[in-house]
Amino acid sequence: CPGLSHVNVQVDIYERLPVPFGLVRFGVAPDHPEVKNVINTFTQTAQHARCSFHGNVRVGKDVTVEELQEAYHAVVLSYGAEGNRTMGVPGEDLAGVYSAKDFVGWYNGLPRNSELRPDLSCETAVILGQGNVALDVARILLSPVDILKKTDITQHALDALAESSVRRVLIVGRRGPLQVACTIKELREMVNLPGTRPEMEASEFEGIAETLKSLARPRKRLTELLLKAAIETPGEEELERRNRAERAWGFRFLRKPLEVLPSTDLIRAAGIRLAVNRLEGDGEGVRAVATGEVEDVECGLVISSIGYKSLLIDPAVPFDARKAIIPNTMGRVQQTAGLYCSGWVKRGPTGVIATTMNDSFDTARTLLQDIGKGTLDVSTVKPGSQGVSALLEKRGVKPVSFSDWEKIDSEETRRGEIKGKPREKMLDVGEMLQVARA
């Protein structure tokens, strides 16, 4: 930004857990280590002389947003979307029904999901939703344990998956093959997953091949791969691979959950009732409409992957409860000078890590422009972390620094090496704090 070469910005990062990296640590699938390489960039930033990390601090509880605003010229809220969109159907509270967010947190070591203990004793699992998270969950459920044990998946999840009886995973969506929300990389991983074969309904792909010419390139390539897996006759080698496979997966299109069906004792899930849809309209305006038909699928595990939603962090922050975002213009929180937002809390839970990084760059540019134009007043002296540290000390909160985190990191890496893994994550916040303060 022109005229800003003299601004020496000090950035302090406040994080609820004693460990940094949020969704990269707790959301990215364990068998996607290349995606986690962004941690190296984050670490360089955190080690910058004018950047400080303050872990183990709950914004909205240990310190309010108003108190942060008093201590800093600008506050950026970038706390993501930790709420679940619910299905809103009978039976969703039965045992055996989980949100994808909690299930992912369980195998990725999010402390609050460490006690989830999903029951994997059934043969068929149904995943509702067809985005990348749904495919991550399907892949983890069906992956050979020999692949997973070389990743940073938590040991308790690895042990449970080793004993799992799940042999078939259905990935259910309310619209058709042309609206599937995953990316080609995730679909290709499913198609090539060792020990599995695709099982799809050929009738659901009628007329799809004829539309290929009119599709944009990314959607065309995705649909071609889907058609190849679903209805093309496989070559000799692929046929042999499929015949040997003991596990199966498939998409089910034009289906919407109506009810999770209970077991005879009414305690756990035994199946799911789906409404059969048809599509109306075309292009972007296509929508799913119920036909009146229903279909029951027997399954003992239901995982809902229909989206996340942001929650209000502090009553002082403007919040649009319907859209589940902080109302903002280019990252400037409306009607609140000096308050900004970035990521899913700014625009909703869509996109991949690169999308969110670009979004954060936009918010940073907005903030710097406001400094340059003088609409954000930085002429007064603010205490920054010193002011906040004094408040936290009074409240008995002990923040974790980045060098404290590096002690946790070293210990996790050491534990992982013993098992031939990149790391063995700590699951207990108390243990993290003990290691950080050793």
Side-chain angles (χ1 to χ4, degrees):
C1 294
L4 282 179
S5 55
H6 64 286
V7 176
N8 274 341
V9 178
Q10 166 71 39
V11 178
D12 293 334
I13 300 166
Y14 290 90
E15 159 64 47
R16 177 173 58 190
L17 288 168
V19 294
F21 310 133
L23 210 53
V24 180
R25 178 178 166 104
F26 296 119
V28 173
D31 58 348
H32 284 175
E34 73 290 348
V35 180
K36 300 187 190 203
N37 287 340
V38 73
I39 281 176
N40 300 330
T41 312
F42 292 164
T43 297
Q44 284 175 353
T45 305
Q47 289 170 336
H48 191 284
R50 288 189 276 111
C51 182
S52 294
F53 174 77
H54 304 267
N56 193 42
V57 177
R58 298 168 303 170
V59 173
K61 290 192 172 73
D62 298 331
V63 62
T64 67
V65 170
E66 281 178 337
E67 286 167 338
L68 289 176
Q69 286 182 280
E70 283 164 26
Y72 294 91
H73 295 106
V75 174
V76 182
L77 298 170
S78 187
Y79 60 87
E82 63 169 326
N84 287 315
R85 281 183 58 202
T86 56
M87 292 185 282
V89 300
E92 119 174 80
D93 297 327
L94 289 167
V97 182
Y98 307 95
S99 71
K101 183 179 75 67
D102 291 348
F103 194 80
V104 169
W106 168 71
Y107 65 65
N108 269 338
L110 187 62
R112 71 157 175 264
N113 297 134
S114 62
E115 300 296 317
L116 196 71
R117 295 193 181 91
D119 183 348
L120 306 178
S121 62
C122 61
E123 189 171 308
T124 300
V126 166
I127 301 171
L128 300 163
Q130 296 178 329
N132 284 347
V133 176
L135 266 66
D136 281 348
V137 169
R139 202 176 60 254
I140 296 297
L141 281 170
L142 295 175
S143 283
V145 171
D146 282 350
I147 291 176
L148 294 177
K149 71 182 183 188
K150 295 174 187 144
T151 72
D152 68 356
I153 192 169
T154 56
Q155 191 60 44
H156 68 275
L158 194 59
D159 294 342
L161 290 162
E163 298 296 316
S164 169
S165 302
V166 175
R167 294 289 175 268
R168 179 169 172 256
V169 175
L170 300 179
I171 306 158
V172 175
R174 62 194 167 86
R175 296 194 292 173
L178 293 175
Q179 289 79 37
V180 68
C182 61
T183 53
I184 193 163
K185 175 182 179 284
E186 273 68 21
L187 178 58
R188 194 179 288 118
E189 285 176 326
M190 283 306 301
V191 170
N192 297 328
L193 188 62
T196 71
R197 66 180 177 274
E199 281 184 359
M200 314 237 207
E201 306 278 349
S203 60
E204 294 188 339
F205 293 86
E206 279 173 21
I208 297 296
E210 290 73 20
T211 66
L212 285 172
K213 289 194 294 289
S214 63
L215 300 177
R217 189 165 178 268
R219 175 61 67 182
K220 183 183 178 188
R221 286 174 62 226
L222 181 68
T223 309
E224 283 170 342
L225 181 58
L226 200 47
L227 285 167
K228 187 178 176 186
I231 58 173
E232 274 186 29
T233 307
E236 197 177 324
E237 199 179 316
E238 173 62 8
L239 187 62
E240 195 183 322
R241 188 187 82 84
R242 289 186 188 182
N243 288 338
R244 283 199 314 268
E246 293 182 355
R247 298 178 173 192
W249 63 275
F251 286 106
R252 290 292 179 274
F253 297 104
L254 301 170
R255 301 289 187 274
K256 180 188 170 186
L258 288 178
E259 182 184 355
V260 179
L261 304 170
S263 52
T264 47
D265 61 7
L266 307 180
I267 290 170
R268 52 172 305 103
I272 188 162
R273 179 160 293 158
L274 302 168
V276 180
N277 292 335
R278 68 170 191 274
L279 293 181
E280 283 187 0
D282 48 35
E284 291 297 307
V286 75
R287 50 195 195 94
V289 179
T291 61
E293 279 180 72
V294 298
E295 176 182 285
D296 289 354
V297 177
E298 208 174 297
C299 63
L301 179 64
V302 177
I303 297 174
S304 167
S305 183
I306 56 171
Y308 300 75
K309 64 175 184 180
S310 296
L311 305 173
L312 177 62
I313 196 170
D314 186 305
V317 177
F319 193 73
D320 182 329
R322 193 178 62 80
K323 292 182 182 169
I325 57 168
I326 294 173
N328 69 91
T329 311
M330 308 279 288
R332 292 179 193 92
V333 176
Q334 286 171 12
Q335 299 157 338
T336 319
L339 195 58
Y340 299 81
C341 59
S342 165
W344 284 5
V345 78
K346 170 184 171 185
R347 59 184 166 79
T350 56
V352 293
I353 288 173
T355 325
T356 306
M357 282 178 73
N358 287 326
D359 179 76
S360 65
F361 298 154
D362 289 343
T363 293
R365 270 191 288 272
T366 295
L367 198 159
L368 290 171
Q369 282 164 6
D370 288 354
I371 294 174
K373 290 187 296 195
T375 50
L376 178 62
D377 180 15
V378 292
S379 62
T380 55
V381 176
K382 296 264 193 169
S385 63
Q386 281 184 320
V388 177
S389 296
L391 286 174
L392 294 175
E393 200 174 335
K394 260 190 257 175
R395 291 164 189 172
V397 178
K398 292 180 182 167
V400 168
S401 68
F402 202 78
S403 57
D404 292 337
W405 143 248
E406 287 172 328
K407 293 181 200 170
I408 299 171
D409 184 35
S410 298
E411 178 58 18
E412 289 186 339
T413 309
R414 186 192 70 76
R415 292 179 189 184
E417 276 170 11
I418 297 166
K419 296 174 180 174
K421 299 167 73 177
R423 74 172 61 239
E424 186 62 53
K425 291 175 188 167
M426 291 179 203
L427 308 177
D428 180 67
V429 170
E431 188 189 8
M432 291 175 187
L433 294 175
Q434 215 174 341
V435 171
R437 286 165 189 156

